[in-house]
Amino acid sequence: DAKTTQPTSMDCAEGRAANLPCNHSTISGNEYVYWYRQIHSQGPQYIIHGLKNNETNEMASLIITEDRKSSTLILPHATLRDTAVYYCIVRAPRSGNTGKLIFGQGTTLQVKP
Amino acid sequence: ETGVTQSPTHLIKTRGQQVTLRCSSQSGHNTVSWYQQALGQGPQFIFQYYREEENGRGNFPPRFSGLQFPNYSSELNVNALELDDSALYLCASTEAGGYSTDTQYFGPGTRLTVL
């Protein structure tokens, strides 16, 4: 079972910031938070990941709360091409594990003109 | 583009047949994971290969099997196909084996339809 909870769907206006929340209240101290997205019928695309500090790359920013029980993915200026299913994944710890990704249902983000 | 390629893109089989799906990992990546994604669901982990050995398996029956070759490419074989095997099959490659924090990069998938 997925260890994360995400809203089923969200809308965002084109050009505005999209803030996608994720709850992971049972996260362990050494588990990372990963975000992927999947545009219809394509393979999931890696976006960003983090452990405890906020992270930023060319695609997005990841804000993790101090207690690490929740996080927010921020797409600063959403475009129509950002319409996709966004998955928040808590990555299994390192020792003796494949690091398999456990996907939940994700959040369907619809960016509207 | 991740550099992970899969073939074929689409495939139609009938119940009871066998199928082989192929995956070429990104250059420098020695670990390949396979996932099954049914319509409307998130991907489900099938198994992972590292250095030509199975390195972990999800809740899939033995008729799902795989191989990894010395060039790190991989095959997924499914025997005795069932209607519920209809899905998008995804492979993902990782740079280093056995480290759970290494990022997995996905290919475009193979759409399998079982009639």
Side-chain angles (χ1 to χ4, degrees), chain B residues 89-110:
Chain B
Y89 287 85
L90 298 158
C91 85
S93 74
T94 313
E95 183 173 1
Y99 301 123
S100 63
T101 56
D102 293 327
T103 300
Q104 295 186 13
Y105 296 94
F106 285 83
T110 293

Side-chain angles (χ1 to χ4, degrees), chain B residues 39-50:
Chain B
L39 200 61
Q41 305 294 317
Q44 301 294 310
F45 175 75
I46 303 175
F47 45 54
Q48 182 182 88
Y49 277 83
Y50 168 60

Side-chain angles (χ1 to χ4, degrees), chain A residues 33-88:
Chain A
V33 179
Y34 272 75
W35 283 84
Y36 282 80
R37 72 180 182 184
Q38 188 172 27
I39 297 170
H40 183 64
S41 294
Q42 298 180 21
Q45 178 188 21
Y46 165 76
I47 302 174
I48 198 168
H49 74 280
L51 182 62
K52 58 178 71 174
N53 298 321
N54 297 338
E55 302 287 344
T56 296
N57 63 20
E58 66 279 3
M59 289 184 67
S61 294
L62 174 60
I63 308 298
I64 303 175
T65 58
E66 192 169 344
D67 63 7
R68 303 210 324 122
K69 295 188 179 207
S70 65
S71 61
T72 301
L73 178 74
I74 301 172
L75 307 178
H77 305 287
T79 71
L80 298 179
R81 287 177 294 181
D82 293 321
T83 293
V85 178
Y86 286 77
Y87 294 100
C88 169

Side-chain angles (χ1 to χ4, degrees), chain A residues 38 87 105, chain B residues 35-44 84-90 111:
Chain A
Q38 188 172 27
Y87 294 100
Q105 295 297 316
Chain B
Y35 293 80
Q36 180 196 64
Q37 186 174 24
L39 200 61
Q41 305 294 317
Q44 301 294 310
D84 286 348
D85 295 333
S86 294
L88 181 67
Y89 287 85
L90 298 158
R111 172 72 62 187

